[in-house]
Amino acid sequence: MAQASSRIRNFCIIAHIDHGKSTLADRLLEVTGALSARELKEQVLDSMDLERERGITIKLHAVRLSYQAKDGSAYELNLIDTPGHVDFSYEVSRSLAACEGALLVVDAAQGIEAQTLANVYLALENDLEIIPVINKIDLPSAEPERVRQEIEDVIGLDASDAILVSAKQGTGIDEILEAIVHRVPPPKGDDAKPLTALIFDSKFDSYRGAIPYIRVIDGSLKRGQDIKMMATDKVFEVTEVGVFAPAMTVVEELKAGQVGYLAASVKNVQDTRVGDTVTSAKNPVAAALPGYRDAVSMVFCGLYPVDSSDYDRLKDALDKLKLNDASLLYENETSVALGIGFRCGFLGLLHMEIIQERLEREFGLNIIITAPSVVYHVYTTKGEMIEVDSPISLPPPAQIDYIEEPMVKTSIMAPVDYIGAVMELNQDKRGVFINMDYITQTRVSIHYELPLSEIIYDYFDQLKSRTKGYASLDYELSGYKQADLVKLDILLNGEIVDALSCILHKDRAYSRGRKLVERLRSLIPRQMFEVPVQAVVGAKVIARETVRAMRKDVLAKCYGGDITRKRKLLEKQKEGKKRMKQVGSVEIPQEAFMAVLNIEE
Amino acid sequence: MRVIFWKPDTECRVPNAEQARALYVHVPFCGSKCAYCAFASFVPAPGYRERDVQGWLAALNMEADLRLGGEGRERGRGFSSVFVGGGTPTFLTEAELEGLMVSVVAFAGAFGEGEMTVEANPDSLTPGKADVMRRFGVNRVSLGVQSLDEILLGTLGRRHSPGDVRRAVRLLRARGFANINFDLMFGLPGQGLDVWKRTVSEAVDMEPEHLSLYGLTVEPGTPLARRLDGVSGGSNTCQLPSDDDQADMYEWVVDFLAAQGYLRYEISNFAREGFACRHNEAVWRGEDYIGLGPGAVSTEHGVRTTNASSLGAYIEAVQKIAAVPHNTNPALRILSAAANVERLSRDQRMSEYMFLGLRTAQGVSREGFSRRFGVDMMDIFGHILVKYSHDGVLAFEDDRIFLRPQYFFVANAVLKFLILDG
């Protein structure tokens, strides 16, 4: 029996930031009539404000396009969008697994970037049909031929039939749609088999609960059916199935090969994990789809309300964000300096910044974040290994035998002119050179192994500035290595301010300590007393500065006529103090805690 | 009969409140406006001087009738201090000054041994005016000296010379005035420590009984503020000394005056033994006071009223209210004459009691506080007071809590925490 799935094509778009993925997606929606040009509120797929501002996709989205092909048949094209950042590579891999084909979009002026390459390899691993698309051919600096050659040399793909496109001007869009129909294979699933569906994303809806976005591999899915999530073994009754057209639209049934969503009154997104397999509760398949893993937090930091009375609001905000973001982890943490807050785990730095910004913008919270940390493996003298993701929980030096830190293998693509700059940066960041490949005569791919802690600290900014923005980076975790790590503490007025502590390499301690105390000296306002600012490793003071005592903070003469005014002046001064954190007898402004995040070395 | 302000209200009622014993009278006129001045004062337009002065004096009498009440005036309010300030009281002619003093003495009623201060400018104080003051019982003269440096006097827009100050002092002494205050300013544009030292030394040579030293506050909208805004690191004659430089000036003057036998009894005030200004002390103890004249402020029974500061608006308001039939509640009439009425909450009054009191050398009295507010000071401010006494900033001695002298110039760092939110 000819399955309906022969008219279905599931594809995604692989592109580097700025290479025009969103504009292209908009064109596809427009041409297939999914949305009129007027409805297209520029880049529909990237619907979060933050995403629009940053020009990147953070959360994935999906959309169904109806396309009347030149062969006379109507096709259902499902575009599954992928996030464009290394922090979300697992999510990307699951989106790719839901597709049979991928558009590889490369900027005609810039060529392939490291992140794109990493995702192409992921797509090849998933046996996706790859259609090269060279975009922005309207640019004066476009070199489509050079880019075509680059695709062949670097990826080993036949790029002779790469499609030349200007998404901006709308040229080449029909060719892309035809190529999707003819070159991307239809899904192979079988409606008659037991249900297997892959969750590639999920979102939380306050009425319908956690809604997994799924690709049905085999079998079919209807309202009323009992399903089981294989990672958690939990069973739910389906209350609704639907597709993205592009808004959520209820359908009777989802069949093998189709992309859509289901609602089943799932309480939270922890039960609709990306990569998990949905199967029938009555007739489950034996094995889940391959490739699932739990979200792994790479970066941790402390999140504290500036005003301690905002703790409950911060907790509510995190709870709400967590509804939609299973990869966000948090637990209570108490800092002597900052009071009660949270230790939060993130997929990476971008993820951390996004959460921070959303807490501030969407929830209006004023928060202090502490220096990001990676997860260290600390081997104690008792022979145990403990995972430490916060300087606060590092055992005292006497109990530590040795410490291992997470390492990453990086791949940096850059024009040959910047080889020196890239190498210098990696040496500075304790990197160990692995190798370097010439992609073309003018571009190289450089591989280093370096500590993850160096990547999360000022690495992207440095890479960008040292290569004038021409380099791109991809990295993956490569294991743990022993390193000479120490805890750097900051003492204000002789007391440790735990929120300013960090774990770092011994060779870094002196210069970081020096810079930090200088910075703090300039950020901490003069107080009633002289405040010594010290950087300490173990028992040794490695740097010291002094915030001199304030000498004048007084009202001019108070006479009967201006008492109200004087009282108000004092009220105002007191109000200003509320934005400060009182640590011991020292008042510390919010910026001082942020100083540890961006000290240039 | 005591006049009760507003309907009974426990929040507003002050236990054991005494009636105001400090009276202020504002003379809004000046010969010229100083560069730093943001007070309610003005230079009468040519040809209108007499009209302005007479209008002001008439309104002043009407306001006194309202505030003090005819009945009260006869009995005498029992004021312990009267302070005639400005503006420039000595801007008035001898005859006008006499007219004012007739009224003031009437307002004050049976005044007895009280302190009566009149402010005077060295250039406009004449022997005749000094005689008038003497005759009406003025026993303290506050001279607006500000500086004894010719250049700085020019910068400030003062009309007198250092020589005028010497002349004024001689003139007052010759008439038996035994309590003279000098107002002096520091932290002036271009004023170095050496200039300050010279001014203070020369001032002390003239042996005033009292010195009021205050740091310049540049008020927005004054000519001085505009001048300073226009300067971006230009000539240093127009730059303000840094906070550190001002602290140096203050520290020096504290030591110097102590050696010269002046006691610092409040952050900005120094006096020979027994010459502290009683009028200001009453205000700093949080006692009620009454102010008459344009821009004058009164605080009675937890209500603070501020008169309109422009002469025209002041006269108009007072006339309008005076026209209201006398059987109207006098309290309400006074309130409607004011340009601004502020009802102080208990928290605000407690805060004021603390921040004003702690600026004085003797500090605040716990007993006085509980008598006034019916609650122990420690129950309200305990944690701040204990914390700072722990740090050595505040000291407890018997019933009193005071700021240690070395922290006077950074007093706000503590005082701001004594401002309650309510």
Side-chain angles (χ1 to χ4, degrees), chain A residues 526 548 550-553 555-561 563-565 567 571 573-574 577 587, chain B residues 39 212 219 244 246 248 251 284 289 304 342 344 348 352 359 409-412 416-417 419 421:
Chain A
R526 291 167 72 172
R548 289 192 303 134
M550 156 180 68
R551 294 187 60 207
K552 177 182 178 257
D553 186 7
L555 299 169
K557 189 174 173 177
C558 290
Y559 55 96
I563 293 173
T564 291
R565 197 171 141 227
R567 191 189 69 232
E571 261 164 27
Q573 282 200 2
K574 186 187 176 193
K577 293 296 158 193
E587 288 164 353
Chain B
F39 290 99
S212 224
E219 300 292 347
D244 281 336
Q246 293 185 49
D248 287 342
E251 279 168 21
W284 299 331
Y289 52 90
R304 182 166 291 153
E342 183 189 9
L344 299 169
Q348 286 171 331
E352 291 183 356
R359 287 173 52 94
F409 213 56
V410 290
N412 287 4
K416 67 184 166 217
F417 293 116
I419 305 298
D421 289 328

Side-chain angles (χ1 to χ4, degrees), chain A residues 334-351:
Chain A
T334 304
S335 151
V336 177
L338 300 177
I340 316 174
F342 297 93
R343 192 72 191 168
C344 302
F346 305 96
L347 298 173
L349 267 196
L350 179 74
H351 188 210

Side-chain angles (χ1 to χ4, degrees), chain B residues 51-297:
Chain B
R51 184 204 66 177
D52 285 349
V53 172
Q54 293 317 318
W56 159 71
L57 194 55
L60 200 63
N61 279 298
M62 280 190 261
E63 192 196 359
D65 263 341
L66 278 168
R67 283 198 186 274
L68 309 177
E71 194 187 356
R73 280 176 69 178
E74 281 155 32
R75 286 196 307 117
R77 290 275 300 196
F79 287 111
S80 61
S81 72
V82 176
F83 195 109
V84 179
T88 310
T90 49
F91 167 87
L92 301 175
T93 62
E94 221 176 287
E96 290 162 349
L97 185 64
E98 185 162 346
L100 169 65
M101 294 313 297
V102 167
S103 296
V104 167
V105 168
F107 304 157
F111 188 64
E113 292 300 296
E115 173 189 276
M116 191 187 293
T117 306
V118 173
E119 285 186 337
N121 270 2
D123 54 301
S124 54
L125 178 66
T126 61
K129 293 176 195 175
D131 286 338
V132 171
M133 292 181 197
R134 197 77 194 130
R135 201 155 19 123
F136 282 90
V138 174
N139 50 22
R140 185 171 181 273
V141 176
S142 175
L143 282 176
V145 177
Q146 316 311 354
S147 177
L148 290 168
D149 180 80
E150 296 265 13
I151 296 169
L152 287 179
L153 285 170
T155 306
L156 296 175
R158 301 294 293 181
R159 294 157 69 88
H160 65 265
S161 67
D164 289 336
V165 178
R166 282 171 235 285
R167 186 191 56 81
V169 171
R170 275 199 303 273
L171 186 155
L172 291 168
R173 292 295 189 212
R175 279 156 187 80
F177 285 100
N179 188 354
I180 298 176
N181 167 59
F182 283 5
D183 277 351
L184 292 177
M185 297 173 87
F186 64 97
L188 301 174
Q191 182 185 40
L193 181 58
D194 50 335
V195 176
W196 173 238
K197 283 181 177 177
R198 208 159 46 233
T199 288
V200 176
S201 308
E202 288 172 16
V204 167
D205 286 345
M206 289 182 253
E207 301 184 321
E209 282 69 27
H210 190 284
L211 285 158
S212 224
L213 311 178
Y214 49 100
L216 170 71
T217 308
V218 180
E219 300 292 347
T222 57
L224 185 66
R226 283 194 291 277
R227 220 183 297 157
L228 289 167
D229 275 348
V231 181
S232 45
S235 84
N236 63 6
T237 55
C238 226
Q239 277 185 334
L240 292 173
S242 68
D243 283 1
D244 281 336
D245 289 344
Q246 293 185 49
D248 287 342
M249 292 181 192
Y250 185 74
E251 279 168 21
W252 175 83
V253 85
V254 167
D255 289 344
F256 178 76
L257 290 179
Q260 301 291 324
Y262 290 92
L263 305 173
R264 174 172 54 175
Y265 69 101
E266 194 259 2
I267 291 179
S268 324
N269 289 278
F270 301 74
R272 297 255 189 241
E273 178 94 55
F275 286 92
C277 173
R278 284 190 249 159
H279 182 83
N280 283 337
E281 282 188 321
V283 171
W284 299 331
R285 274 195 302 268
E287 291 176 14
D288 284 354
Y289 52 90
I290 289 175
L292 303 174
V297 176

